[in-house]
Amino acid sequence: MTASPKRRRNRTLAGALSGVLVLGAAPTMGYVGWHVLRNSKAGTTVRAIPEVAFPSTPTAMIAIVDDKNLVTSLALLVLAPGTGKGGTLVAVPTSATRAQSDADDQVPIADSMINGGEAGLVADAESLMRVTVEYDAVVDASKTATLLGPLKKLTTTLPNDVVDATADGTTQTLFTHGTADLTPVQAASVLTAADPAQLEAKRLPNVHAVWNAIAGAVGTGIDPAAVPATAPADMASFMQHFFAGPVQVFNDLSTDPITGKENPDKIDVGRINIASVVLLMAGLAPSAMIAPYPTVNFRIENGITPADIAAAGLKGITPVDVTRNLVERLIFLQGNVISVSPEVYTLDTKKVPDTTTIFATGGADQQDLNVFTTNLGKVEFKKPVFQFPLVGVVIVVGRTYLADMAKAQADKGSTTTTVGGSSVDSSTPGASSADVSTADSTVTS
């Protein structure tokens, strides 16, 4: 296990440079946006306005490897804002490609430890998930059991039989599907079990079941009084903080299989949806987000309700889908989304505006941002009275954005698909974290 808060700034740059290639086949319009903003006067006429800080949300990566150093289970952990006790576990499919463009070899992140060691695995995870990792642990079955030791018993329901391949290539069934009370050692064996003949899609649900069992075993927190309010000193300290409060689990990230000429060897590898990743992580850990493009960093505030969506005539979507749609548009134009909130905070009224409202800091004006805002439906600009760290533009989603989406939906003659995710947020005042769909916390000044 290693702790790496001191290397974060160096990794941010490295992660950003590699992250630039994630959408390497970006459209011409994205290049135009970059060109316009590069030559704008942004940053030269900055007004001095107060800053509202994001809460502290330390991040960690835990990678569980088998005896061949194959990554069999991977998760990002984010400490709860405010208390620093408990938090969110984001399950990462190990079949997700670590390639940064279509031209690269499509290799699953499961192989990153084999190919690049711990540093390579962390770098790949940062690029894939668009966040810097402050602490990391690469652990085998024995160390995983030690890590889970405080949990004593994990009650789980395994969707599939847990199959593991032995050294001579034969397989053995460790557990049959169904409800089981697992010891930390047994839970570790599920997380490390791997059969080369079994696709990740078959194995991953059992991993998810263990992540859920961890949350259940933690309950309201293990000995929270013994955990200091100070930031974690190392990975072991991070885990003490993580187990000291309620844990929510996000298991909904998935991959689309890569086939054909891009995968001539027909290995088990797929693409993860970047918009879904950004939507999730920009809500959980805005202060840790990587900004891969040299353009503008955005914060999205979307308080749109199902009633607003119905009134706009949109069908088959949710407020989260609206946010994801906006994230997709901004990524298409090579914008960076680093903060997402399911509440309106920047407007004085704290209510959803009729017209999508843009607050631009850093000297950018309407002309500078035209390449982005002309793709958002009708908008209006307002001068900000405060700003957020690293955020150049705040977009408060208005009902005019729904009208634009409704027009696009009507033109396509189909509904927008729902998002395999949710609008978690660590960047806006509101209720305390309850679950992944409503997580919310306090902005500090």
Side-chain angles (χ1 to χ4, degrees), residues 163-356:
V163 180
D164 191 29
T166 60
D168 61 3
T170 59
T171 60
Q172 58 179 337
T173 300
L174 303 183
F175 302 96
T176 57
H177 67 280
T179 301
D181 288 336
L182 304 177
T183 65
V185 171
Q186 291 172 323
S189 71
V190 176
L191 295 174
T192 54
D195 173 13
Q198 188 179 64
L199 294 177
E200 171 83 344
K202 183 79 170 179
R203 196 183 66 83
L204 191 58
N206 288 332
V207 173
H208 289 168
V210 173
W211 295 145
N212 289 334
I214 289 172
V218 169
T220 59
I222 297 173
D223 201 9
V227 177
T230 55
D234 51 28
M235 187 65 189
S237 174
F238 183 98
M239 293 308 298
Q240 286 182 322
H241 280 74
F242 195 69
F243 288 157
V247 170
Q248 55 185 358
V249 176
F250 188 89
N251 280 330
D252 291 349
L253 294 180
S254 60
T255 59
D256 293 323
I258 297 174
T259 59
K261 294 181 180 179
E262 291 182 275
N263 186 11
D265 296 328
K266 299 181 180 180
I267 62 175
D268 188 13
V269 63
R271 288 189 182 88
I272 203 166
N273 186 283
I274 294 299
S276 293
V277 170
V278 170
L279 173 62
L280 175 66
M281 301 312 298
L284 284 175
S287 60
M289 289 296 290
I290 288 173
Y293 302 115
T295 55
V296 176
N297 295 345
F298 290 91
R299 168 180 165 89
I300 299 171
E301 297 180 2
N302 178 20
I304 291 292
T305 67
D308 293 322
I309 293 171
L314 282 163
K315 300 183 184 300
I317 69 169
T318 68
V320 176
D321 297 325
V322 175
T323 305
R324 181 173 185 252
N325 182 273
L326 179 50
V327 169
E328 288 174 338
R329 295 190 193 195
L330 294 174
I331 291 177
F332 180 91
L333 297 166
Q334 293 193 4
N336 303 304
V337 178
I338 67 170
S339 173
V340 171
S341 169
E343 296 180 353
V344 175
Y345 180 75
T346 302
L347 276 176
D348 290 339
T349 63
K350 311 300 181 188
K351 295 180 180 179
V352 175
D354 286 329
T355 303
T356 296

Side-chain angles (χ1 to χ4, degrees), residues 407-426:
K407 181 179 181 302
Q409 189 179 84
D411 290 343
K412 290 181 179 180
S414 62
T415 60
T416 303
T417 55
T418 57
V419 180
S422 55
S423 58
V424 292
D425 178 47
S426 293

